[in-house]
């Protein structure tokens, strides 16, 4: 249980489809340890979410959530949520354009189109089925993190290859908010 190194773009382990957890995995010490590693690593990096493949574990597990986050000064707080074997279904056909970053793509942000509202079906640590509808930034975080489980990173989904750059340059251009402090 510890902060783990976060794999970065170019590492082929970020590009594989991760495996579903099976009945015997739920509640196992291995899964509990993985979740703690995700929590510790996400906190150390001040990330909004982290998917297991980002720490080199090819399983369909995502942890996300944040209080006020300096990486996303305009975003609302989101309660910590663990998704095991998540499945996303869009609700309606409305999309939003927004800026995204990723701990596996450090120092960069890009503009990505995401479904505005989605239904998430997933399992808990103990294997109980859950379902929830979420919108806006929350839906964006979930779509971004679940993409990692299929080996997809946000630069694959740029709305425009020019809407992509280093954070200080985008801030200087007034394209993304400046981070206070
Ligand atoms: Ni990411």
């Amino acid at each position: 249980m510890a902060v783990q190194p976060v794999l970065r773009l170019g590492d082929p382990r970020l590009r594989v489809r991760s495996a579903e957890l099976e009945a015997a995995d739920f509640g196992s010490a291995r899964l509990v340890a993985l979740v703690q590693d995700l929590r510790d690593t996400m906190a150390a990096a001040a990330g909004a979410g982290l998917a297991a493949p980002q720490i080199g574990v090819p399983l369909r597990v995502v942890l996300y959530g944040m209080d006020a986050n300096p990486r996303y000064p305009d975003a609302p707080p989101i309660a910590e949520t663990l998704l095991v074997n998540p499945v996303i279904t869009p609700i309606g056909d409305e999309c939003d354009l927004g800026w995204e970053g990723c701990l596996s793509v450090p120092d960069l942000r890009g503009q990505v189109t995401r479904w505005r509202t989605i239904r998430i079906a997933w399992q808990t640590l103990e294997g109980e089925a859950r379902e929830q509808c979420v919108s806006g930034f929350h839906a964006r975080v979930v779509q971004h993190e679940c993409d990692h489980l299929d080996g997809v990173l946000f630069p694959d989904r740029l709305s425009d290859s020019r809407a992509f750059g280093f954070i200080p340059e985008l801030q200087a251009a007034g394209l993304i908010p400046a981070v206070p402090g």
Side-chain angles (χ1 to χ4, degrees):
M1 295 190 221
V3 175
Q4 299 294 327
V6 177
L7 307 187
R8 303 202 308 173
L9 182 65
D11 191 310
R13 289 174 290 175
L14 289 170
R15 293 308 200 170
V16 300
R17 186 186 185 281
S18 291
E20 273 83 11
L21 280 91
E22 296 171 8
D25 298 319
F26 291 101
S28 66
R30 174 181 176 231
L31 181 55
V32 170
L34 169 61
V35 172
Q36 193 58 48
D37 282 354
L38 288 170
R39 183 178 291 118
D40 292 345
T41 306
M42 187 170 87
L50 194 62
Q54 291 181 275
I55 57 170
V57 178
L59 295 173
R60 302 184 84 78
V61 178
V62 159
L63 185 73
Y64 68 90
M66 58 183 204
D67 304 323
N69 186 325
R71 278 169 57 85
Y72 297 94
D74 291 344
I78 300 173
E80 186 191 277
T81 307
L82 174 74
L83 305 178
V84 178
N85 297 338
V87 176
I88 290 173
T89 309
I91 297 180
D93 51 12
E94 288 182 303
C95 293
D96 290 317
L97 194 57
W99 291 92
E100 295 188 9
C102 179
L103 297 177
S104 296
V105 190
D107 307 323
L108 291 159
R109 291 287 169 84
Q111 233 178 8
V112 178
T113 301
R114 299 286 187 185
W115 298 111
R116 179 174 297 170
T117 304
I118 57 172
R119 175 180 294 111
I120 326 161
W122 75 97
Q123 287 167 285
T124 65
L125 187 64
E126 293 78 26
E128 292 165 27
R130 292 272 192 279
E131 212 173 271
Q132 188 187 358
C133 291
V134 298
S135 296
F137 185 76
H138 190 157
R140 175 174 298 279
V141 170
V142 171
Q143 288 169 86
H144 175 115
E145 296 308 329
C146 291
D147 265 355
H148 281 295
L149 306 180
D150 293 323
V152 175
L153 297 166
F154 84 82
D156 303 332
R157 294 199 184 272
L158 295 174
S159 58
D160 178 332
S161 58
R162 290 166 297 182
F164 183 48
F166 289 98
I167 292 169
E169 281 76 4
L170 294 170
Q171 286 172 334
L175 291 168
I176 62 172
V179 176

